[in-house]
Amino acid sequence: MVWLLIFILFLFFIIFVTSKKYLLKISFKNIFKKKLETLLMILGSMVGIAFIIGAFGINDSFNNFVYENVDKFLGEIDEVVYFPDKYNLSKLESFKSELLEEDLTDGFLKGYFRLMAIGHEDSLKKLDFSNLTQAGVLSYDFDNIENFGIEKREIPDYIKNLKDDEVIMSKDLAELLDFKIGDEIEIFSDFNPLSLLFQKKYKIADIKELNGIYNFRGPTSQAYNGIIYLNERTVRKVLNIPENIDATHYFISNRGNTIQGNNYSEVILELYNNYENDFDLFAVKKNQLDNITSGNISLVFLFFSGFSIIAGGILILNMYSMLVDERKKDFGILRANGFKKKDIRNLFFLESIFYTIFSIPFGIASGVGLSYFTFLNVVNYSKNIDTFSFINNIPVIEKFYISLNSIVYGSLIGLLLPLSLGFFYTFKLNKLSIVNAIKDVQEFKETKKLSFFNIIIFLLFLSIAYFYRENYIILLSLFLYFLSLVIKGKYNVFGTILNFLIILLNIYFIDNSILISGIKSFIVIISFITIFILNFKNIESFLLFVFKFLGKGFSSLKIGTAYSLRKTKKTSIILTLYTLIIFLIVVLTIIPYIQETNILKTKDKLFAGFDGVVVNLPWILSKNVDENFLDDRNEITASGRFYFGSGGVKDTVVPILTGTKEFFYENSVEIEGVIPELKNKSSKEIWDSIYNNPEYGVFPNDYESFLNLIPGEFVDFKINKSTFLPGSKPDFNPIDGEFIKVKYAAKVKSKETSLIVGPVISFKNDNVSLFIKNSLGGYFFKLKDYELSKDSLLDYFKSNNSFSIFVDDFIDFGIKAASGVINIINSFLYFGLIIGVIAISITAVKSISERKRIIGMLKAIGFKSNMIFNSVFVENTIIIFAGIISGYFSGIFSSYYIYKSIFSDTNISFEVPILNLSIIAIIIYIISIIFSLYPAFKASKIAPYEAMKSID
């Protein structure tokens, strides 16, 4: 369809140009008269193509990665059935019948899967925990595997011929534990002493890069380390499966191929609602696609590049406006020689078409380059995050891919912007006066006065907006903006005040909606731009006042200042371009800076003053972590046990913590008493009371409103049995009739990031033993010297296969996660600076061209080359500085608005990185001014006699 559209458009273009050959020749010659200007016009036209192709390219790489992973780990597996409690095969058969009747499936397959500990030969006997890990044990019903899905596969020989004492191992698992073909491994199905003494060993028959259903990693991808493959007879023995049970899992392949099958998952999940109490069903493919993609990533980049694309549109408008002004005399002469208005429009439109066509290769190359550069930042981000020990199975995207369709679609969409604007500008030529055009005289426009009726209507709408000000703040802002344009006041003071009022209104009234926040930010940008535009004359007066003290250079400075600030239209367009681009850069500098600064500030609070924790995870085979385990280490000054579980209250599940005496006495969390007995006591005294009083509890700061608590009130928490499995969220099931009774005695002083994520109960609580039994336990510790002790202690934990987290790990992770995302977006957005650079270059070149005879006159009356250069330099500097200041102020104000929206109920403070922003401003100024030096130098070299020729 798209290619047909391209063919039709191409055919239309050929017919059009062949019917107007004389226009084709004139337009084609015109665009090459001034090569530098032509290059700048082409670069300006390519902006839309580059950004859209760049966004599509990132999306292609991401989608390619997702689909490759689906094919690698699932193949044609779409859903997995699992019986957690009772084995009810009749219900499963009924479910299968429904799927077949609805024609939703291409097959069912019985299989076996479990996450188990594996290791090198005798590793457990030697207490060598570093050579143990968790891996998936996998097998299938081979009698039916060939009929599973539409791809009628054959069983590979290496699986078909697998002996009872042999395994096939995935390549990633072999690399993790340094296994080789022929090595013997142990699979730990249970840990009773007899089994450990006479542990059966299995020989690695082969190591393979497994794919599809042969590489299944579990319903929640929990076997991220890898899998081992056994034959069906052996796996039943290893998993201790009774004879009356067919399999541990049942696999479903939906209609269609690997990707198409996902389209039926929603329907299957609806049918499953009738069986949810009989067995568990995991829509594994749908979950993986949803979790990894989380929507169309290209939309994210298109959103952030939207401001730059808008800026590109404004740039193109400016280019065509200047082109019309420059060519106005030529068009007037053509009209005088008999050209019709339609011919002039077609001539101009053909020129815009040629500029756009020539911009396509530049746009495609820039778009692919932009996409690849951003992709490299994505790769670095995922690799950095994957280095943290407490983060598992972070997908690392390593293959860049962009489809031909994305290049074609991106080019077509990108072409629409310059062609549409070019076509729009052709209608401006209809109003061209032949006489004024030949004389190169400015067209006179009669200004319309605001009627009394319009003022009454405006005031009426303003009144309505006032009564609904919280819901209609945007409407009120628009009306105030309208008023600022029509009733400006002397020196535009009234219009300036109104725009400042708009900014303050939009910052004061906070809205959590992303869309509304985006609209308000845009209103703030426009208001700042308008403040500058309304005060061009005031700025000119101020600068001239300052320049008077410079003596000799005053005349050239005055000319540069007057030209830039009196050419309101052109200066406003460039001001808008710079403001839009710099606004985004400023916002995406301040917000991460706020996060990073406050993450560093919370270092002492994040782990409640402790330097780290070490935890016994139920699914990791490791040396038991106990008091003796930590007491032997000289690096540790204090340690104690904590327990993390959950409780049910008011139809919600909340985390609950407790710990030994050291937890209460060594933590640094500031708390305050809410009952009379604990009022006016220090935090240390209150913690002592909480520990020694079985009924007392400490609650997070926001729980008073969250649970509608009254100081001194008792809260009954249902004790939950907590099940923790790798790769999945913890599962909490209430234990019938078992509660923990806690009195609301104290609360955390402020909302902050710390270990206190839920109520803290006394270790002497009456039912604490049952809570401990159903919670996750571990130890916290403090170090003598953090920098010197961390590495040796970390090595010790790793050698015992113990899961540990240090406070710096969390800090580094938070900073890298926040800054990594921003760097990815910034790598995309900094390309937008090209728009500003092109804009200033085009304006400088065009302004020199249209002022050529004026420059000649100035030289004729005594102006030297350096004075001409200075005037052009000052002109460009003023425009660039105005854009930088406008972008910075609007960015800072909008950042504050975003801060109030996101962080208003936290202890995070608003901070502006003055040094960082100053460095960015200097770099932006230097880059922009470099590209305006050539036009300034060129202007200074114009000979008076050559310039005076252009008078005629």
Side-chain angles (χ1 to χ4, degrees):
M1 184 65 185
V2 175
W3 294 104
L4 178 63
L5 178 62
I6 294 173
F7 176 75
I8 292 171
L9 290 174
F10 179 73
L11 190 63
F12 174 78
F13 176 73
I14 295 298
I15 294 171
F16 174 72
V17 296
T18 51
S19 64
K20 306 281 185 180
K21 289 183 180 178
Y22 62 98
L23 294 179
L24 180 65
K25 290 180 181 178
I26 296 173
S27 60
F28 193 77
K29 286 182 179 179
N30 282 340
I31 63 173
F32 291 108
K33 282 183 177 178
K34 299 179 180 178
K35 293 181 176 59
L36 177 60
E37 294 182 26
T38 299
L39 176 62
L40 293 174
M41 292 289 286
I42 289 171
L43 292 176
S45 299
M46 79 172 191
V47 169
I49 299 173
F51 272 111
I52 294 168
I53 289 178
F56 284 177
I58 291 295
N59 189 61
D60 282 347
S61 296
F62 202 77
N63 284 342
N64 184 62
F65 163 76
V66 170
Y67 294 138
E68 281 187 351
N69 272 272
V70 166
D71 189 58
K72 181 178 180 180
F73 295 113
L74 294 173
E76 292 196 62
I77 297 173
D78 291 287
E79 288 85 29
V80 178
V81 172
Y82 172 65
F83 292 97
D85 298 315
K86 55 185 179 179
Y87 189 75
N88 194 336
L89 193 57
S90 62
K91 290 291 185 181
L92 178 60
E93 291 298 329
S94 175
F95 180 61
K96 287 166 61 177
S97 298
E98 284 193 49
L99 297 185
L100 290 170
E101 287 174 11
E102 298 288 338
D103 196 25
L104 296 172
T105 178
D106 281 329
F108 302 90
L109 179 65
K110 291 186 292 184
Y112 309 86
F113 176 85
R114 188 176 297 170
L115 193 69
M116 304 186 75
I118 71 162
H120 283 267
E121 181 183 5
D122 296 331
S123 56
L124 194 58
K125 289 180 183 178
K126 299 174 184 176
L127 296 180
D128 183 7
F129 294 100
S130 61
N131 280 321
L132 295 172
T133 193
Q134 299 290 107
V137 175
L138 179 67
S139 191
Y140 292 105
D141 170 18
F142 294 108
D143 293 336
N144 296 308
I145 198 169
E146 295 178 357
N147 299 317
F148 183 71
I150 60 171
E151 182 184 321
K152 307 306 177 187
R153 64 187 56 74
E154 293 184 4
I155 304 173
D157 289 337
Y158 62 83
I159 290 178
K160 188 187 297 184
N161 301 323
L162 197 61
K163 298 176 182 178
D164 290 354
D165 62 345
E166 292 180 335
V167 300
I168 303 295
M169 182 174 287
S170 63
K171 187 178 179 181
D172 53 348
L173 180 60
E175 291 175 349
L176 178 67
L177 292 181
D178 194 26
F179 281 117
K180 298 178 180 62
I181 295 174
D183 286 353
E184 289 191 331
I185 69 167
E186 294 177 339
I187 305 173
F188 303 102
S189 54
D190 57 60
F191 299 103
N192 65 69
L194 191 62
S195 298
L196 295 178
L197 285 172
F198 303 100
Q199 186 66 43
K200 185 171 175 56
K201 298 174 179 59
Y202 299 87
K203 182 180 179 181
I204 300 175
D206 207 344
I207 295 172
K208 290 287 185 183
E209 187 79 61
L210 300 170
N211 279 293
I213 68 170
Y214 297 114
N215 197 30
F216 178 67
R217 298 299 175 98
T220 56
S221 302
Q222 60 264 46
Y224 42 78
N225 289 327
I227 62 165
I228 54 174
Y229 209 94
L230 294 83
N231 66 34
E232 187 177 8
R233 185 169 51 254
T234 304
V235 81
R236 291 183 68 89
K237 290 179 182 179
V238 172
L239 302 183
N240 295 318
I241 299 173
E243 291 183 5
N244 63 324
I245 294 180
D246 289 340
T248 62
H249 295 72
Y250 289 82
F251 301 89
I252 302 172
S253 174
N254 296 351
R255 274 286 184 203
N257 60 27
T258 302
I259 301 302
Q260 292 168 345
N262 184 56
N263 299 330
Y264 297 98
S265 291
E266 289 286 355
V267 181
I268 291 175
L269 287 171
E270 288 181 15
L271 293 175
Y272 165 68
N273 289 335
N274 299 322
Y275 301 92
E276 59 185 352
N277 295 324
D278 302 304
F279 52 81
D280 288 343
L281 183 137
F282 298 89
V284 288
K285 189 170 293 179
K286 179 180 182 301
N287 292 341
Q288 188 170 122
L289 289 172
D290 290 348
N291 290 337
I292 297 179
T293 57
S294 298
N296 194 333
I297 196 170
S298 66
L299 295 178
V300 176
F301 285 97
L302 281 175
F303 171 79
F304 283 108
S305 62
F307 281 96
S308 297
I309 292 174
I310 292 171
I314 297 171
L315 169 61
I316 294 168
L317 274 176
N318 186 39
M319 292 191 307
Y320 287 143
S321 173
M322 297 181 79
L323 189 62
V324 168
D325 289 343
E326 183 183 345
R327 302 283 308 287
K328 188 163 56 175
K329 186 174 182 179
D330 295 340
F331 291 146
I333 294 171
L334 289 173
R335 288 277 287 117
N337 285 319
F339 270 60
K340 298 177 181 178
K341 290 182 178 180
K342 185 179 179 181
D343 293 330
I344 298 296
R345 289 204 313 270
N346 288 337
L347 177 64
F348 185 80
F349 187 56
L350 276 173
E351 288 187 29
S352 69
I353 288 174
F354 281 123
Y355 285 129
T356 305
I357 290 174
F358 291 140
S359 73
I360 292 175
F362 291 94
I364 292 174
S366 301
V368 173
L370 172 62
S371 181
Y372 182 71
F373 178 67
T374 308
F375 167 79
L376 292 179
N377 280 277
V378 174
V379 173
N380 291 333
Y381 169 72
S382 57
K383 285 183 176 178
N384 286 337
I385 296 299
D386 197 41
T387 58
F388 291 94
S389 59
F390 55 89
I391 300 295
N392 290 308
N393 203 31
I394 292 291
V396 178
I397 308 174
E398 295 182 328
K399 182 180 178 182
F400 176 72
Y401 172 78
I402 185 169
S403 67
L404 178 61
N405 281 343
S406 291
I407 293 175
V408 173
Y409 291 155
S411 299
L412 285 177
I413 297 170
L415 288 174
L416 290 176
L417 184 65
L419 288 179
S420 300
L421 294 175
F423 183 73
F424 165 77
Y425 246 90
T426 61
F427 290 97
K428 183 179 179 181
L429 299 173
N430 283 337
K431 302 175 183 178
L432 195 68
S433 167
I434 297 175
V435 176
N436 288 339
I438 294 174
K439 290 182 176 180
D440 200 12
V441 176
Q442 188 73 28
E443 301 284 344
F444 175 75
K445 295 180 181 178
E446 184 181 353
T447 56
K448 295 181 180 179
K449 293 183 178 180
L450 186 67
S451 68
F452 178 76
F453 175 78
N454 287 338
I455 294 175
I456 296 298
I457 294 296
F458 170 76
L459 292 175
L460 178 63
F461 276 105
L462 185 63
S463 302
I464 295 171
Y466 173 80
F467 287 108
Y468 298 95
R469 57 190 178 279
E470 292 196 22
N471 294 325
Y472 293 90
I473 197 69
I474 292 176
L475 180 63
L476 177 60
S477 298
L478 294 174
F479 280 126
L480 288 176
Y481 185 75
F482 168 75
L483 188 62
S484 73
L485 296 179
V486 295
I487 311 176
K488 300 174 185 175
K490 191 175 182 181
Y491 302 114
N492 294 326
V493 173
F494 186 69
T496 302
I497 292 172
L498 284 179
N499 277 279
F500 271 119
L501 180 60
I502 291 169
I503 294 168
L504 295 175
L505 280 172
N506 283 279
I507 292 174
Y508 182 77
F509 292 102
I510 304 300
D511 198 294
N512 292 325
S513 166
I514 296 177
L515 177 62
I516 299 299
S517 298
I519 294 171
K520 287 187 173 183
S521 295
F522 189 75
I523 290 173
V524 169
I525 296 171
I526 297 302
S527 295
F528 265 108
I529 293 171
T530 305
I531 288 170
F532 270 90
I533 293 172
L534 291 176
N535 287 277
F536 276 160
K537 288 185 179 179
N538 298 328
I539 295 171
E540 179 188 352
S541 300
F542 172 75
L543 290 176
L544 291 178
F545 174 77
V546 173
F547 290 157
K548 278 184 180 179
F549 298 99
L550 298 178
K552 283 186 177 181
F554 177 68
S555 54
S556 59
L557 295 174
K558 184 175 181 180
I559 292 173
T561 305
Y563 188 85
S564 60
L565 294 175
R566 291 184 185 182
K567 289 284 184 178
T568 308
K569 181 180 176 182
K570 293 172 184 176
T571 303
S572 300
I573 289 174
I574 300 176
L575 176 65
T576 304
L577 292 176
Y578 267 84
T579 302
L580 286 171
I581 297 163
I582 294 170
F583 162 81
L584 284 176
I585 294 172
V586 170
V587 170
L588 291 173
T589 300
I590 292 177
I591 298 302
Y593 177 82
I594 292 173
Q595 290 178 307
E596 290 179 20
T597 303
N598 283 280
I599 286 173
L600 291 171
K601 285 181 179 178
T602 60
K603 179 177 179 179
D604 294 333
K605 299 177 181 178
L606 187 63
F607 278 10
F610 302 112
D611 293 315
V613 295
V614 57
V615 184
N616 273 330
L617 297 178
W619 59 87
I620 294 181
L621 189 62
S622 62
K623 183 177 179 181
N624 188 40
V625 179
D626 55 22
E627 289 89 343
N628 297 329
F629 180 77
L630 295 178
D631 287 345
D632 295 339
R633 305 300 302 183
N634 294 325
E635 304 98 325
I636 295 175
T637 59
S639 66
R641 185 131 201 178
F642 73 90
Y643 298 92
F644 179 88
S646 70
V649 59
K650 297 183 180 180
D651 298 323
T652 189
V653 175
V654 299
I656 298 177
L657 286 87
T658 191
T660 55
K661 180 173 64 176
E662 293 83 1
F663 175 79
F664 288 84
Y665 287 97
E666 296 290 341
N667 81 71
S668 62
V669 177
E670 295 289 322
I671 59 175
E672 59 184 347
V674 296
I675 58 174
E677 297 91 327
L678 300 181
K679 290 281 188 180
N680 302 319
K681 287 190 175 184
S682 68
S683 292
K684 293 292 183 185
E685 291 173 326
I686 298 172
W687 278 118
D688 177 71
S689 298
I690 299 295
Y691 175 74
N692 288 300
N693 194 312
E695 296 179 337
Y696 284 1
V698 177
F699 287 71
N701 182 273
D702 57 350
Y703 266 48
E704 192 167 299
S705 57
F706 173 50
L707 298 177
N708 295 318
L709 294 176
I710 300 171
E713 176 186 358
F714 281 93
V715 182
D716 290 329
F717 293 99
K718 294 178 183 177
I719 299 178
N720 286 331
K721 181 180 180 181
S722 305
T723 304
F724 300 91
L725 291 174
S728 61
K729 294 180 180 178
D731 186 30
F732 304 111
N733 295 300
I735 302 172
D736 292 339
E738 297 294 344
F739 293 87
I740 288 182
K741 197 178 187 69
V742 184
K743 185 177 183 178
Y744 176 34
K747 67 178 180 179
V748 179
K749 279 188 176 181
S750 60
K751 295 178 181 179
E752 58 188 19
T753 304
S754 75
L755 281 175
I756 313 303
V757 293
V760 179
I761 63 174
S762 170
F763 197 64
K764 298 180 179 180
N765 190 286
D766 294 339
N767 219 357
V768 75
S769 57
L770 183 62
F771 170 77
I772 289 173
K773 184 179 177 182
N774 291 281
S775 62
L776 187 68
Y779 279 83
F780 54 84
F781 51 83
K782 288 185 177 181
L783 302 178
K784 286 181 182 177
D785 188 312
Y786 190 92
E787 297 300 327
L788 294 176
S789 303
K790 179 187 172 183
D791 290 340
S792 62
L793 193 61
L794 185 60
D795 290 340
Y796 176 64
F797 288 151
K798 285 181 178 179
S799 68
N800 289 280
N801 210 25
S802 301
F803 179 79
S804 62
I805 305 175
F806 289 80
V807 66
D808 272 3
D809 293 338
F810 253 96
I811 298 294
D812 291 345
F813 174 75
I815 291 174
K816 285 185 177 179
S819 61
V821 173
I822 299 302
N823 286 339
I824 292 169
I825 297 171
N826 273 346
S827 67
F828 202 73
L829 289 178
Y830 276 109
F831 182 78
L833 274 178
I834 294 174
I835 299 172
V837 171
I838 294 171
I840 201 74
S841 301
I842 290 173
T843 304
V845 170
K846 293 286 187 185
S847 65
I848 298 304
S849 178
E850 67 183 27
R851 284 188 292 162
K852 192 173 181 182
R853 61 185 180 183
I854 297 174
I855 292 171
M857 291 179 183
L858 290 173
K859 282 207 160 188
I861 62 174
F863 267 64
K864 297 180 180 179
S865 295
N866 67 320
M867 297 173 70
I868 300 295
F869 179 89
N870 289 340
S871 66
V872 177
F873 182 82
V874 167
E875 173 189 328
N876 293 328
T877 296
I878 290 171
I879 297 172
I880 295 167
F881 261 114
I884 291 173
I885 293 169
S886 178
Y888 267 55
F889 274 101
S890 59
I892 291 170
F893 272 76
S894 292
S895 296
Y896 182 75
Y897 176 84
I898 294 170
Y899 157 79
K900 293 289 286 184
S901 300
I902 300 174
F903 305 117
S904 60
D905 59 344
T906 67
N907 208 30
I908 294 175
S909 58
F910 179 76
E911 298 185 35
V912 178
I914 302 296
L915 179 61
N916 293 356
L917 292 179
S918 300
I919 292 171
I920 292 171
I922 293 169
I923 292 172
I924 291 172
Y925 172 74
I926 291 172
I927 292 172
S928 301
I929 207 66
I930 284 172
F931 281 85
S932 65
L933 289 178
Y934 173 73
F937 178 77
K938 185 180 178 182
S940 67
K941 297 301 179 184
I942 294 176
Y945 69 87
E946 181 187 338
M948 299 297 282
K949 290 179 184 177
S950 65
I951 293 178
D952 253 353

